[in-house]
Amino acid sequence: NNSRITWVNWGDDDDDGDVKETKRLGGYTKAINLGLATAIKDDDDHHGRPWDAFCLLNSDTEVLTPDWLESLTRAAFSDDAVGIVGPLSNAASYQSVPELFSDNKNTSSKKDWSKNPLPADWTATEIHRAVLRGSRGLLVDVPVLNGFCLLVKRAVIARVGLFDDVAFPNGFGEENDFALRALRFGFRLKVFDGAYVWHHKSKSYGDETRVALSKKARAVVKNRWGSQLLADATKALENNVQLKESRRRLEAALRGTGHHHHQQQRRPPRKRNQPPSAAGRQLKVANVVATNDNTTTTTTTTTTTTTT
């Protein structure tokens, strides 16, 4: 096709990099807000074309193909009603495939969200290819999205504002609050079953701390939005037929027997399933990557131009 990706570096005094670094910023959520605010200000200062969308990406993720951002962008702009899109992953709560839960001796409950470690003789890229083979090109309706990777349209930021870095400073709960605010303004949230991003997870905090911070953040979300709304959202995610089918298809691929079957999975998909795209549109997307530690936070901004 005619799609192309252009990487634009900016924000470095020597003009030889694309890193914004702030000492002791104070948490992941502030890092994401800094990246968003800086990208928006950059457009305002230079009177350039505004960003169409922002891709928010955890620093412990691993993108597996050059077209990962284009894939999410196409999905988001295939429908004007869509506000935020997320991919499938090995470790992203209800967006995880093939397993949702697993035993974890490092947590007090001994049960945790699955990280779906690589099976023997499989690579993350091969898992990605298997996901693409099983993709139906579907945009799946969900009430909230995991914050490890989010494609957020500029229109959402304009209406909803930035993330709440006061109530949710550590990068837990902020995506649920943001998603529910977006829903309140009429935006739809989607998981694209043709996108997959690997998530190493718990690299900033460790499992026990992550569980504790998540529990604390959930209490804040519950107090703000009500227990019934959260219960309804959880039920909708647990009973989502399309996400269950994505998990089933990948599990079937991983359990296939015989050398020939595995070799088939190693091959790239013959045809990539994609949602309908907005023909002829050029889309400018800022990719914001944030770390979460006590000393340094880095945000990286790039430009993606997609022509369909």
Side-chain angles (χ1 to χ4, degrees):
N1 57 35
N2 294 323
S3 300
R4 63 189 178 89
I5 293 178
T6 304
W7 301 96
V8 178
N9 298 330
W10 58 272
D12 188 291
D13 291 339
D14 297 324
D15 196 31
D16 61 357
D18 55 358
V19 175
K20 287 284 189 181
E21 185 172 273
T22 301
K23 299 296 183 182
R24 300 196 179 280
L25 188 61
Y28 176 85
T29 313
K30 286 186 177 180
I32 285 295
N33 281 346
L34 172 66
L36 289 169
T38 303
I40 293 169
K41 184 177 184 299
D42 183 67
D43 271 344
D44 293 342
D45 288 348
H46 295 89
H47 305 289
R49 175 184 167 184
W51 300 101
D52 295 292
F54 306 89
C55 186
L56 313 181
L57 195 66
N58 282 22
S59 60
D60 60 354
T61 52
E62 182 179 343
V63 295
L64 303 169
T65 60
D67 62 350
W68 69 277
L69 185 54
E70 179 187 347
S71 180
L72 285 175
T73 303
R74 283 176 175 269
F77 285 88
S78 66
D79 185 342
D80 289 340
V82 174
I84 312 173
V85 173
L88 297 175
S89 179
N90 64 300
S93 57
Y94 289 103
Q95 292 160 236
S96 298
V97 290
E99 300 292 338
L100 289 184
F101 302 103
S102 65
D103 297 330
N104 188 341
K105 64 181 180 180
N106 295 320
T107 64
S108 57
S109 67
K110 308 303 179 186
K111 189 177 181 65
D112 199 1
W113 294 108
S114 178
K115 295 180 185 178
N116 287 295
L118 289 172
D121 300 325
W122 286 78
T123 67
T125 298
E126 289 165 356
I127 298 291
H128 175 258
R129 289 174 179 171
V131 169
L132 293 188
R133 287 181 182 278
S135 169
R136 300 296 184 263
L138 297 177
L139 282 165
V140 183
D141 262 311
V142 290
V144 293
L145 285 158
N146 190 285
F148 87 109
C149 178
L150 297 172
L151 196 293
V152 184
K153 287 182 177 177
R154 185 188 180 97
V156 177
I157 301 294
R159 293 293 303 278
V160 176
L162 298 177
F163 290 80
D164 188 340
D165 57 25
V166 176
F168 309 98
N170 298 305
F172 294 90
E174 88 291 343
E175 77 270 47
N176 292 331
D177 177 71
F178 186 80
L180 293 171
R181 285 156 55 198
L183 283 175
R184 185 177 63 184
F185 280 103
F187 295 103
R188 299 179 72 178
L189 315 179
K190 301 281 189 176
V191 174
F192 178 41
D193 80 342
Y196 181 86
V197 174
W198 186 263
H199 188 197
H200 293 278
K201 198 173 181 178
S202 299
K203 296 302 180 183
S204 296
Y205 291 111
D207 289 330
E208 193 67 42
T209 302
R210 171 180 55 81
V211 170
L213 289 172
S214 181
K215 182 178 180 180
K216 182 179 179 180
R218 184 174 178 82
V220 177
V221 175
K222 183 177 179 180
N223 183 63
R224 178 174 291 185
W225 292 96
S227 57
Q228 188 58 56
L229 187 149
L230 292 188
D232 291 343
T234 300
K235 184 177 181 180
L237 289 166
E238 289 176 344
N239 296 331
N240 191 295
V241 174
Q242 293 165 320
L243 291 180
K244 285 183 178 179
E245 183 61 17
S246 290
R247 293 193 290 272
R248 185 200 65 77
R249 287 195 295 266
L250 181 57
E251 184 175 20
L254 296 178
R255 289 185 176 180
T257 57
H259 177 74
H260 177 71
H261 178 88
H262 194 179
Q263 289 299 111
Q264 285 290 105
Q265 294 297 337
R266 290 178 183 271
R267 299 174 186 171
R270 293 182 179 179
K271 183 179 180 180
R272 180 73 52 82
N273 292 310
Q274 291 281 359
S277 58
R281 298 186 66 175
Q282 290 187 329
L283 303 171
K284 182 181 176 186
V285 181
N287 185 30
V288 180
V289 183
T291 64
N292 188 2
D293 56 45
N294 293 324
T295 57
T296 305
T297 297
T298 304
T299 57
T300 304
T301 302
T302 63
T303 301
T304 300
T305 303
T306 305
T307 305
T308 54

